Amino acid sequence: MDIEQNPSLVARARVHAALGEPARLAIVDHLALGDASPGEIGQKLGLPTNLLAHHMKILDQAGLIRRRQSEGDRRRSYLQLVPGALTGLLPAPLRLAPRVVFVCTHNSARSQLAAALWAGKGSVPAVSAGTSPAARVHPHAVAIARRHGLSLAVARPRHLDEVLRPDDLVVAVCDNAHEDLADQRGGGDRLHWSVPDPVAAGTDTAFEHAYADIAGRIDRLAPAVHLPKE
């Protein structure tokens, strides 16, 4: 057997080599539960721009991260872990919070689906809210929830100001909400999931993709969030 010609071994070796440097491992750890712009990661980890770009290139070549343009400020982009690229390799960073608040702009689809999914996974209570709530939950969101055994029948959009408490862990599930919160409320204890807006496409496929994206992220986040000890 020529191990140099084994694609699986070569790919795995590339992943291990990429993670064998502390700064790159720190970047991956930072992206384990949420997405972030290069600037946010550089500031968080104290990495200069040129060094951060070098590490991101290696992680990208190893198939560990990808970049997605913001649906809000189109000048921004967000780094994400490639789903499944690190299955079983990452520890779950612990977060302590009395409650999780899922936020998107209109609180009509992504954040509602996230809260409904969380109810069957997380040990911490969760609610959803919007920075500019719509009049109703989107019918496609109601339909996709029903298809997956969830109910949004009594859900209604609410403004974040009605819902948010000081110690909540906020998870922004859209770029606009994340950017609005960063501008208005500073850093705080927040995570960002750059999930494409299914309402913009308006198709069953788009809503199914959003649901699957959120479901996978909740599977990673739920075991990592615990109630604070009394």
Side-chain angles (χ1 to χ4, degrees):
M1 173 184 177
D2 186 349
I3 61 174
E4 298 297 333
Q5 300 301 316
N6 185 309
S8 176
L9 283 176
V10 171
R12 287 168 56 203
R14 190 181 298 121
V15 168
H16 284 284
L19 296 177
E21 201 283 335
R24 290 196 288 274
L25 188 57
I27 292 169
V28 169
D29 279 349
H30 189 75
L31 296 174
L33 298 183
D35 308 332
S37 69
E40 290 167 339
I41 288 182
Q43 183 178 22
K44 180 77 173 180
L45 301 180
L47 294 172
T49 303
N50 59 338
L51 186 56
L52 178 63
H54 167 71
H55 290 316
M56 289 192 307
K57 180 179 179 181
I58 293 174
L59 292 171
D60 178 60
Q61 290 173 339
L64 293 173
I65 65 171
R66 63 188 181 189
R67 189 188 295 253
R68 204 182 76 79
Q69 187 178 41
S70 169
E71 292 183 335
D73 184 343
R74 305 294 286 181
R75 297 167 297 179
R76 299 193 193 193
S77 62
Y78 293 106
L79 301 174
Q80 304 175 324
L81 284 183
V82 173
L86 289 171
T87 301
L89 292 180
L90 274 179
L94 184 65
R95 305 296 280 258
L96 299 178
R99 195 175 61 157
V100 177
V101 181
F102 293 101
V103 182
C104 64
T105 303
H106 300 306
N107 191 210
S108 65
R110 288 166 288 182
S111 55
Q112 294 282 359
L113 289 170
L117 275 159
W118 183 272
K121 300 278 186 177
S123 60
V124 173
V127 294
S128 69
T131 55
S132 180
R136 61 171 183 164
V137 176
H138 197 283
H140 276 319
V142 175
I144 201 73
R146 185 185 307 116
R147 188 179 306 162
H148 289 277
L150 305 174
S151 176
L152 295 179
V154 298
R156 65 177 182 86
R158 292 193 292 172
H159 197 284
L160 181 61
D161 290 343
E162 299 177 41
V163 173
L164 189 63
R165 300 171 186 166
D167 295 330
D168 288 335
L169 171 60
V170 175
V171 181
V173 295
C174 83
D175 298 334
N176 279 300
H178 171 67
E179 291 158 17
D180 287 347
L181 291 172
D183 291 340
Q184 297 173 16
R185 302 171 189 264
D189 191 16
R190 286 203 306 273
L191 295 173
H192 174 43
W193 296 349
S194 185
V195 180
D197 183 10
V199 176
T203 64
D204 286 344
T205 299
F207 276 84
E208 191 66 52
H209 284 167
Y211 176 91
D213 190 353
I214 293 167
R217 292 171 182 270
I218 283 178
D219 283 343
R220 296 196 298 271
L221 180 61
V225 181
H226 299 271
L227 291 169
K229 293 182 180 179
E230 295 293 338

